[in-house]
Amino acid sequence: MKHAYVTLLCGGDAYEPGAEALGRSLRASGTRVPLVLLATPDVSAAALDRLAASAGWEARIVEPLANPSPDGDLVFERFRNTFTKLRVFGLEDVEKAVFLDADTLVVRNIDELFARPAFAAAPDFFTPERFNSGVMVLEPSRALFAAMESTLRQRPTYDGGDQGFLNTFYADWWSMDVGHRLESRYNLHHFVYQFMSGRAPLRPMMGDVKIVHYTLQKPWRQATVTGGSELWWSRYLERHPEVDGPLRRRLHAVQDWAFDHAVRALGGP
Ligand code: GLC
Ligand code: MN
């Protein structure tokens, strides 16, 4: 296929709700680009069926890629599994892919990303001269994946995950032509999204936001008190009326309000 949106589930079904909400958000954006789900063999058949039914995710089973970093070098324990993400670089039947972490949510159509040169990604939050690997435009090939695989053990990963490795593989990303650097609105951390939407002077910028990334908290795993709760749940609940209801909706609105309130208090009088 020419183009595909690709996401990944690895290490069981834990991120399935994320992929479901992401798929729904892509469909709501009006895209006709196929959705490809890379899944390790430990993802359940029931999860794959649900994802196919809810948004048309077409599953491809991939073997996990072991994390080459020594134990203890992980910024978060959950980064242990993420090297499997590199499999997207080896998808041989896709000419150009937009990879989206399962904890991202599309707010507006992003098909224009397929016109960006590969490799492209957006700056990370705390080190903007490095990219965040949750949203990437790439041209997969067997040779590219082989080049990555052969250097896995030699290249350091500063966070113990795929992102640290990829930033050493594409060490020149920061100095590439501007088209390779996606604007932050294509990978906006959920707490930044909430910060902006909670401050009236910044609110006009919200019209440009395309992708929100739940980097700090995963809404389906714990109470999201760091922003973007209502946004994510409104998409997820479309498919889950069994857990929907006015109380739940109110709870998520209050969570976002609490974040805004805390930020306001920190800002002082
Ligand atoms: C960060 C990125 C994520 C990546 C992980 C491990 O959390 O947002 O995309 O998989 O680091 O490197
Ligand atoms: Mn992520």
Side-chain angles (χ1 to χ4, degrees), residues 78-79 82 85 101 124 132-134 159-164 213 215:
R78 64 173 186 265
F79 290 0
T82 63
K85 194 194 284 189
D101 268 3
D124 200 15
N132 181 282
S133 65
D159 65 350
D162 62 284
Q163 180 171 294
H213 189 177
T215 43

Side-chain angles (χ1 to χ4, degrees), residues 28-88:
S29 79
T31 186
R32 291 171 165 273
V33 173
L35 309 187
V36 171
L37 169 73
L38 305 182
T40 48
D42 53 5
V43 175
S44 72
L48 300 183
D49 288 348
R50 275 194 297 273
L51 288 166
S54 65
W57 285 112
E58 176 205 313
R60 311 263 181 101
I61 307 302
V62 293
E63 283 309 311
L65 263 185
N67 191 326
S69 8
D71 283 356
D73 282 359
L74 307 167
V75 168
F76 291 111
E77 175 56 31
R78 64 173 186 265
F79 290 0
R80 190 175 297 283
N81 277 333
T82 63
F83 271 82
T84 306
K85 194 194 284 189
L86 302 183
R87 294 272 180 216
V88 64

Side-chain angles (χ1 to χ4, degrees), residues 45-196:
L48 300 183
D49 288 348
R50 275 194 297 273
L51 288 166
S54 65
W57 285 112
E58 176 205 313
R60 311 263 181 101
I61 307 302
V62 293
E63 283 309 311
L65 263 185
N67 191 326
S69 8
D71 283 356
D73 282 359
L74 307 167
V75 168
F76 291 111
E77 175 56 31
R78 64 173 186 265
F79 290 0
R80 190 175 297 283
N81 277 333
T82 63
F83 271 82
T84 306
K85 194 194 284 189
L86 302 183
R87 294 272 180 216
V88 64
F89 291 90
L91 274 180
E92 283 171 37
D93 62 336
V94 176
E95 275 176 40
K96 200 164 202 169
V98 170
F99 179 86
L100 299 162
D101 268 3
D103 60 357
T104 60
L105 195 76
V106 170
V107 182
R108 291 183 175 78
N109 188 285
I110 53 168
D111 286 346
E112 71 272 15
L113 285 181
F114 290 99
R116 289 299 187 104
F119 172 82
D124 200 15
F125 170 69
F126 66 108
T127 50
E129 73 281 14
R130 292 175 173 148
F131 57 86
N132 181 282
S133 65
V135 176
M136 302 183 284
V137 182
L138 58 125
E139 282 169 5
S141 73
R142 185 195 291 248
L144 180 56
F145 178 71
M148 286 185 177
E149 209 180 14
S150 68
T151 58
L152 267 185
R153 296 212 157 265
Q154 288 101 55
R155 291 177 186 274
T157 165
Y158 61 80
D159 65 350
D162 62 284
Q163 180 171 294
F165 167 80
L166 284 167
N167 271 277
T168 56
F169 191 85
Y170 291 113
D172 57 343
W173 169 78
W174 180 245
S175 57
M176 287 177 184
D177 285 350
V178 68
H180 295 266
R181 290 200 302 266
L182 304 181
E183 294 78 355
S184 59
R185 65 175 184 272
Y186 288 105
N187 190 344
L188 200 68
H189 298 254
H190 60 113
F191 43 91
V192 180
Y193 170 86
Q194 193 64 48
F195 180 83
M196 287 166 66

